[in-house]
Amino acid sequence: MNIIQRNFFRLLRCGAFKTTEQLEPMSVFKWDRLCQLAVMHNVVLYVYDGLQQCKGQFFLKLTENQWNNWQKLVNDTNSHLQDVDSDEFLRADHLTNPLLNHKLQDILDDEKSDTTSRRLLLLIIRIVRHILNEGMPVRQLVELGLFIRQEGAKVDQQTFMKWINGLRLQPMCQLEGEFLMLLLGFTKEELFFIEEKANKNIEKIALELIEFTNTRSQDWYFSQDSDSIFVHNSNTSAMFSHVRRSARYFRYYPSESVTNFFASFAHSLSHIEE
């Protein structure tokens, strides 16, 4: 990771999980870039809390204008309650694979199972959806981490793992758990759903997803000019990047990756005027 990303995740851990972190010195420009990262990943409130916690550190040098900008962002976030999950396509409570989605709906409709375990399952699936479509789900990872810290002891682990295996989610759960350890400071003992074997490429995968977040799935939607019969793609490179990533994460969730890509393709076609 570069210095901006390192400080970004330090502040995120400080703000969300109340850790103690030592920041590295950065220029005014790089502090501006860190602010942009916080906005992009919709974690302004967490990072701002981290800034407040680290305010007395020698290397935290923000100009008055930068502090004012942060305060404005916090006020705007509190006022508008930003929701990056407003797109129906990214709803966490469904999968694109019909067979797996049927199993999922059966789980969610089972009122005899405990609510905490079902909520954890939905948090896991929401992150899967974002990994396959949007890049690194930083805010969703933070919310998963907070849920585990606050409610994890209440989860019916045996039932939860039965669900995970039935939905073929174990490789994705492993990936998410390793992201929590790499980026947010979790220990393996806190994550009952991961296995001993670690992915030696986890940092490379995390960085790839962080970079991909700069090109959201909306960038490759198909569209049609009002005065033309021709259909064109809004960002061809983004489309091919999405194809490559669907192939890369095929091994983590093959039964969902293929249907997810075609569902994404079909969703993009909905942007064409009839």
Side-chain angles (χ1 to χ4, degrees):
M1 288 188 187
N2 61 43
I3 188 173
I4 301 172
Q5 293 166 340
R6 291 197 298 271
N7 275 343
F8 171 71
F9 283 106
R10 287 181 182 123
L11 289 170
L12 198 56
R13 292 191 292 268
C14 285
F17 302 102
K18 310 307 177 189
T19 62
T20 300
E21 308 273 349
Q22 292 298 315
L23 301 175
E24 297 179 70
M26 295 198 305
S27 65
V28 171
F29 171 77
K30 288 181 178 178
W31 281 113
D32 281 340
R33 289 288 297 128
L34 187 148
C35 182
Q36 292 171 0
L37 272 181
V39 173
M40 180 185 302
H41 290 284
N42 200 27
V43 289
V44 167
L45 298 181
Y46 295 124
V47 175
Y48 183 74
D49 285 346
L51 285 170
Q52 293 298 314
Q53 188 169 322
C54 298
K55 203 168 185 178
Q57 290 192 24
F58 179 76
F59 290 130
L60 180 53
K61 304 290 187 183
L62 299 183
T63 66
E64 183 178 353
N65 284 338
Q66 286 176 318
W67 279 116
N68 291 338
N69 183 51
W70 271 105
Q71 189 60 60
K72 182 179 183 301
L73 288 171
V74 168
N75 293 339
D76 289 344
T77 302
N78 284 327
S79 298
H80 302 298
L81 297 175
Q82 299 175 17
D83 181 13
V84 298
D85 294 326
S86 58
D87 192 330
E88 179 73 11
F89 176 65
L90 290 177
R91 280 174 48 201
D93 59 353
H94 80 279
L95 295 168
T96 59
N97 182 291
L99 294 177
L100 294 181
N101 188 58
H102 180 72
K103 290 183 179 181
L104 173 62
Q105 300 310 316
D106 284 346
I107 292 170
L108 298 180
D109 292 340
D110 182 7
E111 297 181 357
K112 295 181 180 179
S113 61
D114 80 279
T115 303
T116 305
S117 299
R118 280 183 284 169
R119 287 174 62 196
L120 178 59
L121 178 63
L122 284 177
L123 288 171
I124 293 286
I125 290 175
R126 181 171 64 161
I127 291 174
V128 170
R129 306 279 290 135
H130 274 265
I131 288 174
L132 293 177
N133 294 286
E134 296 290 318
M136 175 58 73
V138 174
R139 183 174 67 88
Q140 290 75 18
L141 278 174
V142 171
E143 291 172 354
L144 173 62
L146 290 171
F147 183 85
I148 290 172
R149 289 269 171 91
Q150 296 164 6
E151 306 288 337
K154 302 176 185 177
V155 173
D156 182 340
Q157 297 185 12
Q158 185 176 0
T159 299
F160 183 82
M161 293 309 299
K162 180 181 177 181
W163 293 344
I164 291 301
N165 291 328
L167 294 171
R168 305 173 192 171
L169 272 168
Q170 181 54 46
M172 273 295 188
C173 280
Q174 181 76 19
L175 191 65
E176 293 178 26
E178 293 192 43
F179 285 155
L180 287 173
M181 292 190 290
L182 174 70
L183 303 174
L184 300 180
F186 277 68
T187 62
K188 193 179 74 63
E189 290 69 28
E190 296 178 277
L191 308 170
F192 70 88
F193 50 80
I194 69 170
E195 301 172 345
E196 291 288 340
K197 184 176 67 174
N199 190 329
K200 64 180 180 180
N201 296 317
I202 191 65
E203 185 167 355
K204 179 181 178 182
I205 295 170
L207 289 174
E208 177 190 70
L209 284 169
I210 291 169
E211 292 302 323
F212 186 86
T213 307
N214 296 332
T215 307
R216 300 176 66 84
S217 63
Q218 288 87 347
D219 291 340
W220 64 276
Y221 283 164
F222 290 93
S223 59
Q224 183 179 32
D225 295 332
S226 58
D227 58 348
S228 172
I229 63 171
F230 295 104
V231 173
H232 59 84
N233 178 259
S234 54
N235 187 334
T236 304
S237 63
M239 177 182 173
F240 283 111
S241 182
H242 190 87
V243 172
R244 286 194 298 271
R245 219 176 61 262
S246 294
R248 176 181 292 274
Y249 294 103
F250 178 83
R251 67 190 181 98
Y252 291 102
Y253 206 0
S255 49
E256 175 70 8
S257 296
V258 173
T259 54
N260 177 78
F261 175 75
F262 285 109
S264 302
F265 185 83
H267 186 64
S268 73
L269 293 177
S270 68
H271 292 250
I272 302 175
E273 293 185 3
E274 295 183 1

